[in-house]
Amino acid sequence: MTRRGLAFAAMCLAVAILLAAGLDHALAQAATPFGVGRPDATVSGPMGGFGAWVMAEQSRFYRQLSSAIRAAKENGTAAWGLIGLSLAYGVFHAAGPGHGKAVISGYLFASGATLRKGVLLAFASAFVQALTAIGLVAVLALILGATASQMDDFALVLERASYGLIALVGLLLVARKGAAFWVVLGPSLGLATVPAHVHGPDCGHIPLPEPGGAGGRGAVAAVLAIGIRPCTGAIIVLVFALAQGIFIAGVAATFAMALGTAVTVAAIACVAVLAKGLAVRLAAPGGTGAALALRGLEFAAALAILGFGLALFFGAALPVGQA
Amino acid sequence: MRRLLLALSCLIAAASTAAAHPHVFVTSKSDIVYAAPGLVSGVRQTWTFDDMFSSFAIQGLDTNKDGIYSREELQPLAETNVESLKEFDYFTFVKIGGKPILLKPPTDYWLEYKDNLLTLHFFLPLATPQHQGEKPLAVEIYDGTYFVAFTFDETKPAVVEGAEGCVVDVHKPKELDPALAAMAAQLGTDDPGTLASNPSFGASLANTILVNCP
């Protein structure tokens, strides 16, 4: 039973890894048809009715945003409608493609954080993402009067920084989880290991950063990695609101979108935390085999984040049309 | 327990599903241009963008700060537009009697900003003018990646220029089947022609203009 449970957990992780690996073509350094406005990165996966429904819904909400912004200009109470709409858009948008969810759930699975931390990460990254979009439009469009393609260029830089950070977070996790995995794997292969030296966190000899540490630098890096990549929808909404002379409505809408996004991502984060809890429980009574499987899963999740970050980073580095 | 894990793997799969939605909405008008009766020379497109994308695209382009976005001020953007569209085959697929016809890069392109909406005008010449004969001419307009959503103009989706007595039919895409749209989004941008080769996609996503001339 325990073995089977672990096998299933391994399977679901394998699914996640495959999805991350399937990124390459959809990767969305997608060229931009009109040369301005960047498509959001899309994670390609099995397409089901659920994904299609999510897309149809977010598209519907997105279309209504412009009239909601204009209505908010006419009268203040309409602003509530705009906020509700943005919230709904955020919920559905986050259920669609996105690097945030993949990184957060992989991170939480590998590092094994609490539910509270999972939710906190989801909200923090969504909030940072809103701030990035608002900051970008406020500085570039409002103050500097930049053009759309200049904003795109800057967004692209942020995007690449975000992907690089994701790879870095993955690398830290791989180092840490790889060490933990080796501690179990080494002896079982009949290889002598020196646990005291490999146990990164417990050992002064290998001062590995601690991505899994409660509130550690790893968590901050993960939040930044996700948050510094602004979303295209938010930028367009902000510029539109600015053009209508009610930038503040765009700011409100962006925060509402972030809140909606956070709700969805938090739900997914909870699943990751629970999955980890389950895997730990299943492994608890077992011997070396169970420990091996658990450490192996953690290591695989860490590798998935690293792979995801690298694929995105190098995907974004390719010239338009080559991805 | 097992069921829980199974549910979980499904959830993860569902959560990672691709579902990018359109960020640009275009209302399309087309002039099918004949150099002489029976001789098709190209398609003149008039594409009006939605208000949000319009505001975004023109941001910062009122260089003389007179509050008017003139054709001259917008020309660099028009340039960028048509250059970028090349990779997408201008979202315009011409067929005569079902046979795809090659197009040349646009000529005569410019942008116009009116009533808060930006409109891109461009003429797409056929690589060589084609004798249509008895065969139907089809012009399909769509974005296989579904980043751009095209809709025909309500009043004047398509007209014929330079030929008499031609019958123009327009076929709107069916109310977009979300499953198809999602599959379209998944096809990726590297192969915008994929839809054309898939009849079920073509029929559902494409805005099609059919012209039959005497």
Side-chain angles (χ1 to χ4, degrees), chain B residues 39-129:
Chain B
L39 187 67
V40 195
S41 63
V43 182
R44 184 171 295 122
Q45 299 285 37
T46 306
W47 288 352
T48 302
F49 300 104
D50 65 280
D51 53 359
M52 283 209 284
F53 184 77
S54 295
S55 307
F56 177 71
I58 61 161
Q59 160 64 35
L61 293 179
D62 180 17
T63 37
N64 62 8
K65 310 270 185 248
D66 63 352
I68 296 161
Y69 293 83
S70 68
R71 185 166 156 171
E72 292 70 33
E73 285 169 327
L74 295 173
Q75 198 55 32
L77 180 59
E79 196 90 43
T80 307
N81 288 163
V82 294
E83 274 165 19
S84 309
L85 278 167
K86 184 176 197 307
E87 193 179 329
F88 297 83
D89 298 332
Y90 311 98
F91 299 130
T92 305
F93 306 91
V94 179
K95 291 175 192 161
I96 294 179
K99 184 176 153 268
I101 306 295
L102 283 178
L103 302 172
K104 279 199 289 200
T107 56
D108 205 12
Y109 47 85
W110 81 96
L111 281 164
E112 171 188 28
Y113 184 67
K114 211 170 82 184
D115 302 330
N116 300 319
L117 297 178
L118 190 64
T119 300
L120 176 66
H121 301 262
F122 63 100
F123 179 67
L124 267 178
L126 304 189
T128 47

Side-chain angles (χ1 to χ4, degrees), chain A:
Chain A
M1 179 61 205
T2 303
R3 285 272 159 84
R4 264 198 196 150
L6 273 171
F8 266 104
M11 191 189 74
C12 82
L13 199 79
V15 170
I17 293 169
L18 280 176
L19 289 174
L23 262 174
D24 57 350
H25 80 111
L27 233 198
Q29 168 54 14
T32 62
F34 297 103
V36 286
R38 305 182 43 72
D40 288 325
T42 58
V43 178
S44 175
M47 182 56 61
F50 177 75
W53 174 70
V54 162
M55 188 184 90
E57 287 301 298
Q58 56 173 323
S59 181
R60 198 162 62 83
F61 290 128
Y62 184 77
R63 273 302 257 168
Q64 294 170 9
L65 282 173
S66 73
S67 47
I69 290 172
R70 273 195 305 261
K73 190 181 177 185
E74 303 300 317
N75 75 80
T77 49
W80 291 108
L82 170 65
I83 286 168
L85 196 61
S86 307
L87 198 72
Y89 171 74
V91 167
F92 281 93
H93 190 61
H99 61 316
K101 288 179 306 293
V103 174
I104 287 191
S105 36
Y107 175 80
L108 290 173
F109 191 92
S111 68
T114 58
L115 273 181
R116 197 173 140 266
K117 190 176 166 195
V119 171
L120 206 67
L121 272 182
F123 276 80
S125 56
F127 185 71
V128 172
Q129 203 176 17
L131 285 181
T132 306
I134 293 166
L136 184 133
V137 175
V139 173
L140 293 186
L142 186 64
I143 300 174
L144 299 176
T147 63
S149 58
Q150 287 165 335
M151 280 189 275
D152 283 341
D153 290 347
F154 197 72
L156 186 63
V157 171
L158 291 177
E159 197 174 292
R160 290 202 57 199
S162 157
Y163 298 155
L165 265 176
I166 290 173
L168 197 67
V169 169
L171 193 67
L172 295 181
L173 276 172
V174 163
R176 185 155 171 271
K177 294 299 160 185
F181 186 37
W182 181 246
V183 167
V184 197
L185 184 66
S188 76
L189 293 176
L191 297 169
T193 60
V194 192
H197 281 189
V198 192
H199 260 302
D202 307 328
C203 168
H205 295 205
I206 304 171
L208 285 175
E210 214 180 317
R217 275 169 297 171
V220 174
V223 164
L224 280 181
I226 297 160
I228 58 169
R229 182 189 174 280
C231 107
T232 307
I235 294 177
I236 292 181
V237 164
L238 282 162
V239 172
F240 178 69
L242 178 65
Q244 299 295 308
I246 41 166
F247 187 56
I248 189 73
V251 171
T254 303
F255 278 123
M257 279 181 209
L259 196 62
T261 304
V263 168
T264 303
V265 176
I268 292 162
C270 287
V271 172
V273 171
L274 291 176
K276 179 60 185 295
L278 201 65
V280 170
R281 260 215 329 275
L282 287 170
T288 323
L292 201 62
L294 180 62
R295 295 296 165 214
L297 281 177
E298 290 179 352
F299 184 56
L303 276 177
I305 297 181
L306 177 62
F308 187 79
L310 289 176
L312 284 169
F313 185 80
F314 289 108
L318 289 174
V320 167
Q322 300 284 304

